[in-house]
Amino acid sequence: MSRSPSTAPKPFVQAHLRMLISTLVIAFLVAGCARAPPEQALRQSLAELQEGIEARDADMFERYLAEDFVGPDGVDRDGVRRLAALQWMRHRAVGLNFGPLDVKISDRHATVRFTAAATGGSTRMLPDTAQVYEVETGWRLHDDAWLMTSAAWKPKL
């Protein structure tokens, strides 16, 4: 009794296929459990902060501000939240684009410097207001999450 080559069991191939699938499953599990390197996690936090501001999402915005946050002229966490709310009330559309990030990490603290182009307006094609700022932020790693502890910005143009 002869089997066709396509239906004949191939123990060698089946064993290797099982081993390949097992290896892939383990690799995906390990990758899912692995933590992002500190700089990558910090960059992700900044990207999510930017998304929260543009989406007018106060919860996402506040999630990245440390309880002891300090901004320009001593503004605290609540003050910067009110500043964001004021901008959201003044403009239907708020845009925020970061230039290249200069990230410096030391132990559980970091400094990130960048330029930011902020725009605001109604729903028209062009923004009503725009400004480019030089920004310096301070961050602290707390329970595997980066929290912004300070921010300073000044108009660049």
Side-chain angles (χ1 to χ4, degrees):
M1 174 158 162
S2 157
R3 288 187 167 176
S4 69
S6 62
T7 61
K10 307 275 188 205
F12 179 76
V13 172
Q14 289 175 346
H16 278 78
L17 185 58
R18 278 193 299 268
M19 187 168 61
L20 176 64
I21 290 171
S22 298
T23 303
L24 288 174
V25 168
I26 290 170
F28 283 123
L29 289 174
V30 169
C33 295
R35 292 190 319 207
E39 183 172 340
Q40 181 183 346
L42 179 56
R43 287 176 181 273
Q44 182 63 35
S45 294
L46 250 166
E48 290 174 10
L49 179 65
Q50 176 185 2
E51 288 173 20
I53 291 170
E54 290 181 336
R56 306 160 69 98
D57 184 342
D59 291 336
M60 182 181 276
F61 173 67
E62 284 185 299
R63 181 180 334 151
Y64 294 101
L65 297 180
E67 291 293 327
D68 58 346
F69 173 87
V70 177
D73 298 324
V75 68
D76 63 4
R77 183 175 196 254
D78 192 47
V80 79
R81 181 193 53 77
R82 285 194 307 269
L83 180 61
L86 176 65
Q87 294 304 313
W88 291 333
M89 286 189 299
R90 290 179 66 195
H91 305 289
R92 286 186 192 170
V94 175
L96 188 61
N97 294 304
F98 296 155
L101 304 178
D102 178 22
V103 178
K104 303 263 191 289
I105 296 178
S106 174
D107 193 29
R108 299 181 63 83
H109 296 291
T111 302
V112 183
R113 291 181 181 88
F114 54 94
T115 56
T119 59
S122 57
T123 57
R124 290 184 238 147
M125 177 95 64
L126 296 174
D128 296 331
T129 63
Q131 179 61 267
V132 176
Y133 296 92
E134 290 181 8
V135 181
E136 181 175 329
T137 58
W139 296 77
R140 176 177 59 237
L141 191 58
H142 178 74
D143 294 337
D144 295 326
W146 284 104
L147 299 177
M148 188 186 303
T149 57
S150 64
W153 58 87
K154 60 182 177 182
K156 188 171 180 169
L157 299 177

